[in-house]
Amino acid sequence: MEKSGRYYLGRVIKINLSQTELMNAIISSPIITKGKFDWTITDCVDARDNSIPFVYGKLSKYAKDGHANVVDEGSRSQIKADVPNLVEASSPFIYLPEFSGIAYLHVWNGIQEDVFPRRFKSIVEEVFGRFMISCEIDPLSDYTEFTQKLRNISTLTEISGTVSPPNPLFGRLWGELNDYISKRNASEVTVKESSSKPSGIKSKLIELMDGIMKSKDYLITHD
């Protein structure tokens, strides 16, 4: 993997998809098209039989009809040349089946941290015809950092948030809210609470975040 850069950690949440099927999909990934670019997984290393099993690859974004600057030696000038399958960006990643864990590189202005999960999901699900399966990446590092910041806050005086469906990363947690948005025929919903009292807002945020991090099947219940 690349020696430097910002890597993000996540857990791969699979529905009707086994570890073997997921790793096979990574090793033999299809090509998908999003906008003017094609996407696939390249440079794979299948090490699932190692003492510490893993699968390595690069999520690659490329242009079938690429163009690049080259030097024309006769005129001593730069000219545009056709370069088939020109790589625009490549994000190395490693998948650890023992933990269903994945680490991937943020590629500035190419494959950002929010783009990688969407393209990874699309490629894997394409293998199975997008039928009755799901493959999503839950951002573990975001949960941990967010929960730690919550523990350092003694009083909450304001909570606000906006949800714009669809949000596949949190699909199992926001079903009721999604139903509410659908019934209201809304494109998004915004919630805001504030308190001027010394004790602040009553909240179970830390309890809920702990539950989410401990179990991939955690569901929010109402008292």
Side-chain angles (χ1 to χ4, degrees), residues 118 136 161-171 173-191:
R118 299 202 303 270
E136 300 172 354
T162 299
V163 178
S164 301
N167 191 338
L169 286 179
F170 307 101
L173 300 173
W174 74 304
E176 292 184 16
L177 181 57
N178 187 38
D179 291 340
Y180 172 81
I181 294 175
S182 178
K183 290 177 181 177
R184 299 290 295 171
N185 197 32
S187 57
E188 66 178 30
V189 61
T190 298
V191 179

Side-chain angles (χ1 to χ4, degrees), residues 2-223:
E2 303 293 334
K3 293 183 179 180
S4 61
R6 177 180 295 178
Y7 280 86
Y8 285 82
L9 302 177
R11 180 188 293 116
V12 180
I13 307 300
K14 304 177 293 295
I15 298 177
N16 295 331
L17 186 64
S18 69
Q19 292 283 24
T20 298
E21 288 173 329
L22 172 60
M23 290 186 285
N24 287 344
I26 292 173
I27 296 299
S28 303
S29 69
I31 297 169
I32 65 171
T33 301
K34 296 293 183 180
K36 62 181 180 179
F37 296 109
D38 289 338
W39 298 74
T40 191
I41 297 173
T42 65
D43 305 285
C44 293
V45 176
D46 187 350
R48 69 183 87 179
D49 294 328
N50 281 20
S51 56
I52 301 179
F54 70 89
V55 172
Y56 169 83
K58 293 181 179 180
L59 179 63
S60 297
K61 169 185 176 183
Y62 65 99
K64 271 192 169 61
D65 301 316
H67 305 281
N69 288 336
V70 299
V71 173
D72 180 73
E73 294 182 338
S75 62
R76 296 293 193 275
S77 62
Q78 292 187 22
I79 61 173
K80 289 284 187 181
D82 294 336
V83 182
N85 298 331
L86 177 66
V87 175
E88 295 286 335
S90 182
S91 173
F93 68 89
I94 186 168
Y95 177 69
L96 302 173
E98 183 178 355
F99 308 100
S100 291
I102 190 168
Y104 56 92
L105 178 67
H106 163 86
V107 181
W108 175 253
N109 205 28
I111 307 177
Q112 297 86 338
E113 71 276 9
D114 61 326
V115 173
F116 185 100
R118 299 202 303 270
R119 298 296 181 262
F120 183 87
K121 169 185 171 70
S122 296
I123 288 173
V124 171
E125 292 182 357
E126 183 68 24
V127 175
F128 305 95
R130 303 180 182 273
F131 180 72
M132 298 294 290
I133 64 106
S134 179
C135 174
E136 300 172 354
I137 296 178
D138 250 345
L140 293 182
S141 58
D142 290 354
Y143 287 176
T144 302
E145 182 179 354
F146 176 62
T147 305
Q148 185 56 50
K149 288 181 178 179
L150 287 176
R151 297 186 197 281
N152 294 332
I153 298 174
S154 58
T155 304
L156 290 173
T157 59
E158 183 176 308
I159 300 175
S160 64
T162 299
V163 178
S164 301
N167 191 338
L169 286 179
F170 307 101
R172 72 186 191 281
L173 300 173
W174 74 304
E176 292 184 16
L177 181 57
N178 187 38
D179 291 340
Y180 172 81
I181 294 175
S182 178
K183 290 177 181 177
R184 299 290 295 171
N185 197 32
S187 57
E188 66 178 30
V189 61
T190 298
V191 179
K192 182 176 180 179
E193 297 179 338
S194 60
S195 175
S196 59
K197 298 179 180 180
S199 57
I201 300 171
K202 294 180 179 179
S203 172
K204 291 186 177 181
L205 275 175
I206 295 177
E207 176 185 333
L208 295 174
M209 293 304 301
D210 284 340
I212 291 170
M213 290 189 294
K214 286 179 181 178
S215 172
K216 64 181 179 65
D217 299 317
Y218 180 79
L219 291 175
I220 297 175
T221 57
H222 303 284
D223 295 334

